[in-house]
Amino acid sequence: MIALRGAALSYGGRTLWRGLDLDVAPGEFLAVVGPNGSGKTSLLRVLLGLQRPSSGTVAVDGRRPRRGGAGIGYVPQHRAVPPHTPLRARDLVRLGVDGHRWGPGRPRRDVRRRVDAALADVGAAAFADVPLELLSGGELQRVRVAQALAAGPRVLLCDEPLASLDARYQRVVAGLVDRRRREHGTTVVFVTHDIDPVLPFADRLLDMGTTRVTEAPARAAAGARPCRSETV
Ligand SMILES: Nc1ncnc2c1ncn2[C@@H]1O[C@H](COP(=O)(O)OP(=O)(O)O)[C@@H](O)[C@H]1O
Ligand SMILES: [Mg+2]
């Protein structure tokens, strides 16, 4: 589903990473770790087609990534919403459900049900009608996760979605992402500093500091094959 060969990324004369060879299979959960500035966000931007690698090749679903590609869900690294954004939590999630469709879409009741279910999954039902700019960082982050999941992505790219969450919601969010890939075969690339909440779920770990991929400890202990593809 995702394939990088000899990929490198430099800004000006500074190389963030190089020699990155990686295959992520459908339904696989890859956790990405690494120090600040090691190029984790930049890797996701490459997979989104927002940034060209300096060398090597990148394919997502067999094609070179391009902006606005269908079927790719993205939870950006936390940032505040611009003041006066005229959206409530439920509006943001609704954009995930039908924001990319034009013309007569799904019946309203069906959309509403999916939005409510996605909000409930992340424990956001109580603030569904609150304007985004009034939400706490952790609440907003959960709404962004709900939006990405509600869109039904085939590939889900998450940039530190656990960063402003308490321990309980870290487990909830990691568990929801895991459920998505188990039930729908969604491929997951999950950047995180807090590795503990994802260890029960991740198949493999990519350290952007070294570009090395290792099997997650839980998998290694179980002796399970992490996926159908191998790191080259
Ligand atoms: N478009 C850009 N032009 C120049 N430098 C950039 C650009 N984007 C990111 N950087 C720099 O690259 C480094 C890695 O950024 P990033 O991918 O955000 O790392 P991480 O997510 O691992 O913290 C940072 O030092 C950042 O300032
Ligand atoms: Mg980052």
Side-chain angles (χ1 to χ4, degrees):
M1 180 57 73
I2 293 173
L4 293 101
R5 293 286 176 277
L9 186 64
S10 306
Y11 292 120
R14 181 165 157 238
T15 299
L16 295 187
W17 33 265
R18 65 158 67 92
L20 181 57
D21 292 306
L22 177 70
D23 286 286
V24 193
E28 189 179 0
F29 190 134
L30 179 76
V32 179
V33 298
N36 293 135
S38 58
K40 303 179 297 296
T41 295
S42 299
L43 172 66
L44 297 190
R45 288 176 53 80
V46 166
L47 297 176
L48 285 162
L50 300 175
Q51 177 77 47
R52 292 275 292 276
S54 316
S55 57
T57 60
V58 179
V60 177
D61 216 358
R63 281 189 254 164
R64 200 162 79 185
R66 58 195 167 81
R67 283 164 192 261
I72 315 273
Y74 178 43
V75 181
Q77 194 159 9
H78 175 69
R79 52 174 182 256
V81 294
H84 313 303
T85 300
L87 295 177
R88 300 163 296 170
R90 70 165 58 255
D91 301 323
L92 193 68
V93 176
R94 186 181 168 135
L95 286 174
V97 174
D98 66 2
H100 53 292
R101 289 192 187 87
W102 291 91
R106 292 159 182 278
R108 278 179 169 219
R109 220 174 321 135
D110 180 43
V111 171
R112 170 115 194 167
R113 213 176 39 228
R114 285 182 54 182
V115 169
D116 283 342
L119 286 163
D121 278 347
V122 297
F127 49 86
D129 296 303
V130 174
L132 293 179
E133 64 180 302
L134 299 183
L135 299 182
S136 75
E139 288 170 344
L140 181 60
Q141 203 62 1
R142 276 148 56 200
V143 172
R144 287 198 166 112
V145 169
Q147 178 193 21
L149 289 172
R154 283 159 42 78
V155 176
L156 181 58
L157 309 175
C158 301
D159 201 351
E160 303 200 29
L162 308 181
S164 19
L165 301 188
D166 60 36
R168 173 180 164 218
Y169 277 111
Q170 287 187 334
R171 281 194 301 275
V172 167
V173 164
L176 283 170
V177 169
D178 181 60
R179 192 174 90 193
R180 169 84 214 167
R181 61 101 175 209
R182 286 185 190 285
E183 292 180 355
H184 301 280
T186 295
T187 302
V188 175
V189 179
F190 196 104
V191 176
T192 184
H193 270 289
D194 304 295
I195 193 67
D196 287 347
V198 303
L199 280 184
F201 308 117
D203 295 311
R204 291 186 299 162
L205 309 178
L206 165 62
D207 182 344
M208 287 312 289
T210 59
T211 68
R212 287 199 49 182
V213 181
T214 51
E215 217 165 304
R219 303 276 147 174
R225 295 308 315 150
C227 63
R228 281 138 287 186
S229 76
E230 295 300 322
T231 305
V232 184

